């Protein structure tokens, strides 16, 4: 309470300073006029008491008028500050301008809103067109990718396996493009309900099984029989991105998937790990870190998209790692149960 009072008191002082700056010429003229009257009265040798009495009355009247004026000045500032919190909705409720300057400023504000709305409409139309184009492109590019996959599966050779791995990576990047566009879109395609976590994890494992086999990396996972409140598609996307990174940066050893009683999904590996200075930034857009720069193939988008998807689903994602000790990515899927009294 004392802190709030102190802030209000400080705020009043700031408003008073702004008030005095704005009306400094009026205040200066008041003192100049008072000085002129005092000088004229002295020339006519009027009694000092009469001069002081007149000056006192003028000063008292000036203080009362300025105090009332300052009260309405402060009230107007408070109203404007309140509207500033949601100016997009309250711009049509601006106070009636009392000066020509306020009238001009409000006209400028209305014109700027028109320009903003026009540009926003144009941007939304362009974004919608881009979204439609890339969505169509992604679905179209999947057809030749599927044909190439089937062709490569016809013969089991080292060259075909290598080409299949590269083709799988292309497919990942294509899906990442679509996910990137969808996460940045204002429209939502989330289906939030309770899902069997095992079913989502097994989908990701099935997709990356050939990669585990090809790189001879062991997978440790035991069914957890846990229900989670989430969106299946986006949680699957996050798990796939984490598994992709684990496989990419693990030369030998294992990837372990565990789920705690608190519904914390952890995917850990025995890979090269992440440098301490890079760890706080791995969820930033475009950040590749030391490992990504040395690998030359990292986009810096995978974990960023995981972070964005987790935020949209109200999940929390975090990472633990040390160079040479592997990396563990945790997704907190815990949700508080709501009860109706």
């Amino acid at each position: 309470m004392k802190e709030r009072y102190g802030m209000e008191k400080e705020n009043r002082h700031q408003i008073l300073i702004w008030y005095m700056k704005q009306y400094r010429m009026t205040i200066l003229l008041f003192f100049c006029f008072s000085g002129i009257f005092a000088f004229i009265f002295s020339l006519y040798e009027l009694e000092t008491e009469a001069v002081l009495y007149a000056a006192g009355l003028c000063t008292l009247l000036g203080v009362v008028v300025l105090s009332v004026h300052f009260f309405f000045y402060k009230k107007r500032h408070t109203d404007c500050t309140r509207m500033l919190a949601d100016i997009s909705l309250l711009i049509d409720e601006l106070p009636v301008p009392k000066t020509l300057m306020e009238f001009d400023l409000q006209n400028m504000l209305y014109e700027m809103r028109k320009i903003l709305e026009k540009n926003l409409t144009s941007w939304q139309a362009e974004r919608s067109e881009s979204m439609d184009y890339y969505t169509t492109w992604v679905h179209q590019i999947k057809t030749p990718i599927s044909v190439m996959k089937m062709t490569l599966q016809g013969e089991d050779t080292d060259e075909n396996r290598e080409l299949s791995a590269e083709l799988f990576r292309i497919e990942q990047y294509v899906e990442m493009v679509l996910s990137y566009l969808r996460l940045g879109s204002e429209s939502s395609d989330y289906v939030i309900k309770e899902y069997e976590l095992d079913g989502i994890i097994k989908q990701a494992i099935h997709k990356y099984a050939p990669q585990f086999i090809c790189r001879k990396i062991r997978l440790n996972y035991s069914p957890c029989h846990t229900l989670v409140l989430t969106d299946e598609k986006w949680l699957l996307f996050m798990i796939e991105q984490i598994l992709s990174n684990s496989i990419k940066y693990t030369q030998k050893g294992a990837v372990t998937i565990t789920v705690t009683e608190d519904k914390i999904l952890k995917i850990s590996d025995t890979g090269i790990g992440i440098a301490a200075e890079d760890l706080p930034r791995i969820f930033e857009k475009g950040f590749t870190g030391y490992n990504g720069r040395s690998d030359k193939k990292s986009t810096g988008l995978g974990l960023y998209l995981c972070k964005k998807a987790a935020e949209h689903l109200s999940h929390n994602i975090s990472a633990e790692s040390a160079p040479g000790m592997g990396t563990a990515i945790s997704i907190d899927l815990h949700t508080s149960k709501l009860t109706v009294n």
Side-chain angles (χ1 to χ4, degrees), residues 28-269:
L28 180 62
L29 283 174
F30 174 80
F31 284 109
C32 288
F33 292 157
S34 299
I36 291 172
F37 275 100
F39 178 71
I40 297 299
F41 289 162
S42 64
L43 291 179
Y44 283 90
E45 297 182 355
L46 296 178
E47 294 183 4
T48 305
E49 291 182 0
V51 174
L52 293 177
Y53 185 71
L57 288 177
C58 292
T59 303
L60 179 61
L61 180 61
V63 170
V64 171
V65 171
L66 288 177
S67 298
V68 173
H69 190 260
F70 176 72
F71 171 79
F72 287 104
Y73 179 89
K74 181 177 178 296
K75 184 177 182 299
R76 196 172 181 83
H77 169 73
T78 303
D79 293 340
C80 291
T81 303
R82 176 183 57 81
M83 287 188 290
L84 188 61
D86 203 349
I87 189 65
S88 60
L89 297 177
L90 299 176
I91 190 171
D92 292 321
E93 299 180 14
L94 290 174
V96 178
K98 294 185 176 180
T99 64
L100 181 60
M101 179 63 71
E102 288 186 0
F103 179 79
D104 292 337
L105 290 175
Q106 287 193 14
N107 283 336
M108 291 170 60
L109 189 59
Y110 290 132
E111 290 301 319
M112 290 175 66
R113 183 178 66 169
K114 290 179 182 178
I115 295 172
L116 177 62
E117 289 175 346
K118 182 180 178 180
N119 292 339
L120 181 60
T121 302
S122 176
W123 176 82
Q124 288 174 336
E126 291 177 5
R127 181 174 180 81
S128 178
E129 290 178 3
S130 298
M131 184 70 179
D132 292 340
Y133 170 77
Y134 285 113
T135 301
T136 303
W137 178 85
V138 167
H139 289 301
Q140 289 178 339
I141 203 68
K142 283 184 177 181
T143 300
I145 290 176
S146 299
V147 173
M148 286 187 283
K149 286 173 68 176
M150 292 178 64
T151 303
L152 291 171
Q153 288 172 359
E155 188 176 353
D156 188 16
T157 63
D158 291 340
E159 183 180 5
N160 280 24
R161 284 195 293 268
E162 185 176 347
L163 288 174
S164 294
E166 293 301 321
L167 194 59
F168 180 80
R169 182 176 295 169
I170 292 173
E171 192 174 17
Q172 279 185 291
Y173 290 150
V174 169
E175 291 178 356
M176 190 179 293
V177 168
L178 189 58
S179 299
Y180 179 81
L181 291 171
R182 284 175 174 169
L183 280 173
S185 175
E186 293 182 358
S187 59
S188 171
D189 61 346
Y190 300 107
V191 180
I192 306 296
K193 64 179 184 178
E194 283 194 329
Y195 294 92
E196 280 280 356
L197 184 56
D198 284 324
I200 300 175
I201 295 174
K202 287 177 180 177
Q203 290 182 59
I205 293 174
H206 177 74
K207 180 177 179 178
Y208 283 89
Q211 301 296 313
F212 280 102
I213 296 171
C214 180
R215 297 178 69 98
K216 298 179 181 179
I217 299 172
R218 189 172 70 258
L219 174 67
N220 300 321
Y221 171 67
S222 298
C224 58
H225 307 293
T226 302
L227 287 174
V228 294
L229 185 65
T230 187
D231 176 88
E232 180 181 26
K233 182 182 68 177
W234 285 108
L235 180 58
L236 176 61
F237 170 80
M238 288 189 283
I239 296 173
E240 287 178 352
Q241 289 299 315
I242 297 169
L243 285 179
S244 174
N245 283 352
S246 295
I247 294 171
K248 184 190 299 183
Y249 296 112
T250 301
Q251 302 300 324
K252 61 180 180 177
V255 174
T256 303
I257 303 176
T258 58
V259 181
T260 67
E261 293 181 359
D262 295 331
K263 297 184 180 181
I264 296 178
L265 170 64
K266 179 179 286 188
I267 302 176
S268 55
D269 60 56

